[in-house]
Amino acid sequence: MADIIRIICAVLLPPLGVFLQVGLGLQFWLNILLTLFGYIPGIIHAIWIIARR
């Protein structure tokens, strides 16, 4: 159930989904960078991080 909430957050605001999964680590900052370059890469990265762990 928690993963579903994280995935919904990742679709709406990708860095939030990553933050809920890993905190303020490297993956969070990478996701912010990807989201700034394009919303879709940020979503893909966030869902990948959530599904991987």
Side-chain angles (χ1 to χ4, degrees):
M1 183 67 178
D3 282 343
I4 294 171
I5 294 170
R6 288 184 190 118
I7 289 174
I8 292 170
C9 289
V11 171
L12 298 175
L13 190 62
L16 177 61
V18 174
F19 173 76
L20 292 174
Q21 184 71 27
V22 298
L24 287 174
L26 174 68
Q27 296 299 326
F28 172 75
W29 296 109
L30 177 61
N31 188 267
I32 287 181
L33 186 65
L34 287 170
T35 303
L36 289 174
F37 283 137
Y39 190 68
I40 300 299
I43 292 173
I44 293 170
H45 178 256
I47 291 175
W48 181 68
I49 292 294
I50 293 167
R52 189 176 64 144
R53 296 185 182 214

